[in-house]
Amino acid sequence: MENSSAISCPSTPRWNSERPFLTGRFHQETKTTSRFFDTKGYSVDSLGLGSEKAIGCYNAAVQELVVIDDLLSAMVGIQGRYISIKRAHGKEDNFTFQVDASMDLALQELAKRVFPLCESFMLINQFVESRSQFKNGLVNHAFAAALRALLLDYQAMVAQLEHQFRLGRLSLQGLWFYCQPMMGSMQALSNVIQRASANNFAGSAVLNLLQSQAKAMAGDNGVRSLLEKMAECASNAYLGILERWVYEGVIDDPYGEFFIAENKSLQKESLTHDYDAKYWTQRYSLKDGIPSFLANISGTILTTGKYLNVMRECGHHVQVPQSENSKLMSFGSNHRYLECIKSAYDFASSELLNLIKEKYDLMGKLRSIKHYLLLDQGDFLVHFMDIARDELTKKLDEISVEKLQSLLDLALRTTAAATDPCHEDLTCCVETSSLLKKLGTLTDGERSRNVPDDNDLEEPVSITGLETFSLNYKIRWPLSIVISKHSLTKYQLIFRFLFHCKHVDRQLCGAWQAHQGVRALNMRGTAISRSSLLCRSMLKFINSLLHYLTFEVIEPNWHVMHNRLQTAKSIDEVIQHHEFFLDKCLRGCLLLLPEFLKKVERLKSLCLQYAAATQWLISSSIDVPSLVESDGSLVSEKPRQSKSRRPYQPLKLSSSNKTVADSILKFEREFNAELQSLGPILNSSSKAEPYLTHLSKCILGIGNEQ
């Protein structure tokens, strides 16, 4: 239990405890006189035996009257003439009752039977005085108030006994008879109080103590009922705090007793810019010391208030409908309070879910992100890659993000994306590291066991905007609860992988077109025909990979998530399904298999090197005049046949054909070697990830064609 003294609260003035007549013990600290004997009283620290005669000087009948008078005083904490209160030095709750040694032994024995009741009264009265101070919290205040009411009944009983004594109708045996019913109850309460005082219990600890003691006294119905009544009274203040939380989402806890803590340093804005934002999980959290009667439903209570808080921070003021039956003013065996809490949770959950789905259009935002970051609709991307090619091929320190942003806006406005109302939330960014390096930012729980340390990830010597370009998406509260920076980073990792694969595909398509430009020439048996086969294999590889990523990973998982979101009952279920979708996509896209990913990056690098060398390979294999008109365009088939008959434009192989053939063979060997090395990795991984089986067949099929 959190120490309530750490909470700022009013302090009790010193004079409230220093002036005896302002405390409940003033009558214990002043001189007292017997009701029947005109003698001087006794101080607290003395034994009270300062009378001229010892009690043994009187006969038994007189002694009984004196003892009854002193016992009635002792029962309300006042020492008499022959019964004194001895306190241990420096210990307020350690005291004993003593009798005059000259008292009749039978009377002494009867008097000592009543002493435990007197001690219990003094302990309870002292606890009421000390726990009524501000710093002890609302639960202790309520418990002290219940004890104070009990002491009033007890004092009324003592007053009635005193009245009977004045009428001469009370003997010492009669006094013992009337005291017995209160003995067990007062003793049980004093035990509870001693434990609470020794451990400085407050808040839920007091409630748990009362409940555990009530269960321990199951054999005594009277004592058990009393302790249950005390627990119910003490819990009223606590249930008042609980009621405001589950019905309004407000923590009204001035003394830090509630089992839910609020961390005000965590702000909702962190969800959009902090990858490790803890707002949703740690802004409100459970503390130690949950009341036992709420332990099984504490998570529901926490979630209910969180949902109401989100709506309040959205400006959507909502309160759980209340009625007389929904008041959380007591807990009992009927467990009605559990039904009230469950009803409040159902209301808060459905309201928040409807607010995010309907007013803030969660599904529309997710579809928009899928269009752009998962390349669901890539027409804008094709246009963007065309107009931004020069900027993207620059080195990192030379790229202008502002220029890329203007080109992205132009591509969005001039394609079908212009009809999307969310396209203005799309921005571009350029990362400072390669994809492999960026994957190191994932937490250990999201990374594969085989992910090496950051130092083992090889950073390319020179990376350009094509390897580091990414898209960003503006997410506003409360959608940032679902689409946080953490989730958006996963989208960006997938986008960067897809974007670079698209770039490789475009470059290979350009190389293929160059080969098609010389297809009319009879190149059979030359290096160009071998280069054409290699280009086709590379294209098949990259197309198989893109098909797998989009149609076998992203699309099926998207439809599964979409269906689950339609049936979700709470925002936490929505978050869970969304995170599950992203994790499945990351695994399916091979981003959590670094060994495989490095092989794929190597294959893509070979494809890009080959595509860049294609023009040189073709032009070096044949004479340029036979391929190019005076205006620089490629010669078509029919004109080539007519012009090949001209003596000044003969068709012949270039003298550097052997060098070209060696270069093509080198590309082919490296590509096939890397491709074949993927087989064992995919086969071993497909045992744990069955969806890799189809990709393995496609890639190994490409290798077997070579």
Side-chain angles (χ1 to χ4, degrees):
M1 176 65 196
E2 184 178 347
N3 188 3
S4 60
S5 62
I7 306 298
S8 177
C9 58
S11 59
T12 303
R14 289 179 56 189
W15 49 263
N16 195 36
S17 57
E18 290 176 351
R19 298 184 182 182
F21 286 95
L22 292 178
T23 70
R25 299 199 307 269
F26 70 92
H27 49 272
Q28 303 169 16
E29 298 177 0
T30 54
K31 302 294 182 180
T32 57
T33 16
S34 170
R35 295 181 175 92
F36 297 95
F37 298 92
D38 186 17
T39 56
K40 294 183 179 181
Y42 312 97
S43 65
V44 176
D45 295 327
S46 68
L47 290 179
L49 304 177
S51 56
E52 294 180 359
K53 292 184 178 180
I55 193 172
C57 299
Y58 303 103
N59 60 44
V62 175
Q63 284 189 44
E64 182 177 3
L65 293 176
V66 175
V67 170
I68 293 174
D69 178 57
D70 280 5
L71 280 175
L72 289 172
S73 298
M75 287 174 68
V76 290
I78 305 172
Q79 67 177 5
R81 293 183 63 195
Y82 299 104
I83 296 178
S84 60
I85 304 172
K86 194 69 175 178
R87 295 181 184 275
H89 181 70
K91 295 183 179 180
E92 290 287 328
D93 58 349
N94 191 344
F95 44 79
T96 56
F97 285 83
Q98 296 180 347
V99 297
D100 189 344
S102 64
M103 185 183 297
D104 183 77
L105 294 179
L107 295 178
Q108 284 190 43
E109 185 63 28
L110 283 172
K112 289 178 181 179
R113 292 181 184 180
V114 184
F115 285 169
L117 181 62
C118 303
E119 294 173 0
S120 296
F121 169 81
M122 292 190 65
L123 282 172
I124 295 171
N125 188 62
Q126 182 175 311
F127 181 85
V128 169
E129 287 289 336
S130 62
R131 287 301 186 272
S132 296
Q133 298 180 13
F134 290 111
K135 65 180 182 179
N136 293 294
L138 295 177
V139 173
N140 272 323
H141 294 171
F143 184 32
L147 290 174
R148 190 180 288 110
L150 178 71
L151 291 183
L152 287 177
D153 293 339
Y154 171 84
Q155 289 168 335
M157 182 199 75
V158 174
Q160 291 172 351
L161 291 174
E162 182 181 354
H163 179 65
Q164 293 296 317
F165 178 57
R166 288 181 178 276
L167 295 177
R169 300 175 183 173
L170 185 68
S171 64
L172 192 56
Q173 285 285 356
L175 176 64
W176 166 239
F177 173 79
Y178 288 120
C179 287
Q180 285 187 71
M182 291 285 289
M183 269 297 193
S185 300
M186 296 290 282
Q187 186 65 39
L189 284 176
S190 65
N191 291 337
V192 171
I193 284 167
Q194 284 178 312
R195 288 186 59 184
S197 299
N199 297 283
N200 196 26
F201 282 160
S204 58
V206 175
L207 301 180
N208 290 336
L209 176 61
L210 286 169
Q211 282 197 306
S212 63
Q213 288 296 106
K215 291 177 181 178
M217 302 300 294
D220 190 334
N221 287 333
V223 175
R224 178 177 56 81
S225 298
L226 175 64
L227 291 176
E228 287 178 349
K229 180 65 176 177
M230 290 291 113
E232 182 178 339
C233 293
S235 68
N236 283 341
Y238 200 88
L239 291 175
I241 301 173
L242 174 63
E243 185 175 304
R244 288 210 66 189
W245 173 250
V246 297
Y247 288 163
E248 302 176 37
V250 175
I251 296 182
D252 185 11
D253 183 22
Y255 302 105
E257 299 172 281
F258 198 39
F259 64 88
I260 294 177
E262 179 182 9
N263 187 351
K264 294 184 178 180
S265 64
L266 297 176
Q267 299 297 320
K268 61 180 183 289
E269 290 78 15
S270 64
L271 289 171
T272 57
H273 63 260
D274 185 3
Y275 177 82
D276 295 317
K278 306 296 184 184
Y279 176 85
W280 186 246
T281 56
Q282 296 183 10
R283 168 74 179 199
Y284 297 100
S285 58
L286 296 175
K287 298 192 295 189
D288 295 333
I290 301 173
S292 57
F293 63 95
L294 296 175
N296 294 333
I297 202 171
S298 58
T300 303
I301 294 171
L302 172 66
T303 305
T304 303
K306 282 171 61 176
Y307 290 171
L308 294 172
N309 264 286
V310 172
M311 288 185 279
R312 192 172 70 248
E313 293 201 24
C314 292
H316 184 72
H317 296 285
V318 62
Q319 186 171 350
V320 178
Q322 297 185 50
S323 63
E324 288 299 323
N325 293 330
S326 64
K327 293 289 185 182
L328 297 176
M329 298 311 296
S330 65
F331 65 92
S333 57
N334 58 2
H335 300 300
R336 187 178 58 81
Y337 67 96
L338 298 178
E339 297 175 4
C340 295
I341 293 172
K342 185 66 170 62
S343 298
Y345 168 78
D346 292 339
F347 175 83
S349 178
S350 61
E351 282 289 315
L352 178 59
L353 196 58
N354 290 335
L355 180 71
I356 288 184
K357 279 187 175 182
E358 303 300 330
K359 182 177 178 180
Y360 293 97
D361 191 19
L362 172 65
M363 293 309 302
K365 190 68 70 174
L366 288 175
R367 279 192 292 269
S368 179
I369 292 176
K370 179 172 180 275
H371 292 337
Y372 301 124
L373 294 182
L374 301 183
L375 306 186
D376 183 41
Q377 292 180 350
D379 58 333
F380 88 95
L381 187 67
V382 173
H383 185 35
F384 173 74
M385 294 178 78
D386 286 336
I387 61 179
R389 177 171 49 194
D390 294 338
E391 194 69 26
L392 289 174
T393 54
K394 295 179 180 178
K395 294 183 179 180
L396 291 184
D397 54 354
E398 298 174 356
I399 296 176
S400 171
V401 179
E402 293 77 10
K403 185 175 181 180
L404 283 178
Q405 182 64 49
S406 64
L407 294 173
L408 177 63
D409 293 338
L410 177 62
L412 291 171
R413 289 194 300 267
T414 55
T415 57
T419 60
D420 181 9
C422 300
H423 78 271
E424 294 183 355
D425 293 331
L426 196 66
T427 59
C428 67
C429 60
V430 178
E431 302 288 348
T432 57
S433 59
S434 65
L435 179 61
L436 277 170
K437 200 74 173 178
K438 184 66 176 178
L439 283 169
T441 62
L442 292 178
T443 59
D444 293 337
E446 295 164 329
R447 294 166 64 183
S448 169
R449 295 181 180 178
N450 298 324
V451 173
D453 295 334
D454 292 346
N455 295 331
D456 297 334
L457 296 175
E458 296 179 4
E459 187 76 18
V461 177
S462 177
I463 55 176
T464 64
L466 292 166
E467 290 84 21
T468 57
F469 175 77
S470 183
L471 293 179
N472 204 353
Y473 207 94
K474 296 177 183 177
I475 303 295
R476 298 172 181 83
W477 174 266
L479 292 182
S480 56
I481 295 174
V482 179
I483 314 170
S484 62
K485 178 66 173 179
H486 187 269
S487 300
L488 201 57
T489 300
K490 295 180 181 179
Y491 276 113
Q492 289 173 327
L493 290 171
I494 298 171
F495 170 81
R496 290 180 64 182
F497 190 46
L498 290 173
F499 179 80
H500 198 251
C501 288
K502 286 281 189 181
H503 166 64
V504 175
D505 179 63
R506 284 167 56 85
Q507 296 301 108
L508 288 175
C509 285
W512 180 253
Q513 289 173 359
H515 283 90
Q516 295 305 301
V518 296
R519 185 179 179 183
L521 302 177
N522 185 12
M523 290 294 169
R524 191 169 298 176
T526 65
I528 295 300
S529 62
R530 196 175 190 94
S531 175
S532 179
L533 290 174
L534 177 59
C535 186
R536 188 179 68 176
S537 298
M538 288 182 170
L539 264 175
K540 188 173 181 181
F541 161 72
I542 200 67
N543 286 331
S544 297
L545 181 60
L546 280 170
H547 181 276
Y548 164 78
L549 295 175
T550 53
F551 293 103
E552 297 190 33
V553 176
I554 295 175
E555 283 298 328
N557 286 311
W558 168 266
H559 287 295
V560 171
M561 180 192 70
H562 184 272
N563 293 334
R564 288 177 175 174
L565 292 186
Q566 299 303 318
T567 59
K569 301 297 183 183
S570 69
I571 195 65
D572 280 304
E573 286 187 24
V574 171
I575 295 172
Q576 179 182 351
H577 295 327
H578 183 239
E579 287 296 321
F580 183 76
F581 160 73
L582 288 173
D583 290 340
K584 286 277 287 184
C585 287
L586 281 174
R587 289 196 300 271
C589 291
L590 315 171
L591 296 178
L592 299 183
L593 295 174
E595 186 179 0
F596 178 85
L597 188 59
K598 290 167 77 172
K599 293 288 184 182
V600 171
E601 291 296 317
R602 173 61 182 158
L603 281 167
K604 289 194 296 180
S605 176
L606 284 172
C607 291
L608 289 175
Q609 293 174 28
Y610 169 78
T614 298
Q615 188 62 43
W616 172 80
L617 293 173
I618 295 177
S619 62
S620 299
S621 297
I622 58 177
D623 283 337
V624 175
S626 65
L627 292 174
V628 183
E629 291 277 14
S630 58
D631 60 355
S633 61
L634 287 173
V635 180
S636 61
E637 183 176 356
K638 291 183 179 179
R640 181 200 61 80
Q641 292 175 353
S642 61
K643 293 185 180 183
S644 63
R645 300 188 186 100
R646 298 177 185 177
Y648 56 90
Q649 282 187 337
L651 175 61
K652 60 178 180 178
L653 294 179
S654 171
S655 60
S656 59
N657 192 48
K658 188 177 184 307
T659 305
V660 173
D662 292 342
S663 300
I664 293 174
L665 283 174
K666 181 182 178 184
F667 276 120
E668 185 177 337
R669 282 195 302 269
E670 291 184 6
F671 178 75
N672 288 336
E674 293 291 342
L675 202 61
Q676 291 300 322
S677 66
L678 286 179
I681 300 175
L682 283 175
N683 289 333
S684 61
S685 300
S686 61
K687 296 177 183 178
E689 309 290 352
Y691 51 81
L692 293 176
T693 305
H694 187 229
L695 179 62
S696 176
K697 291 179 180 178
C698 292
I699 291 180
L700 293 180
I702 298 170
N704 293 332
E705 291 177 2
Q706 295 294 316

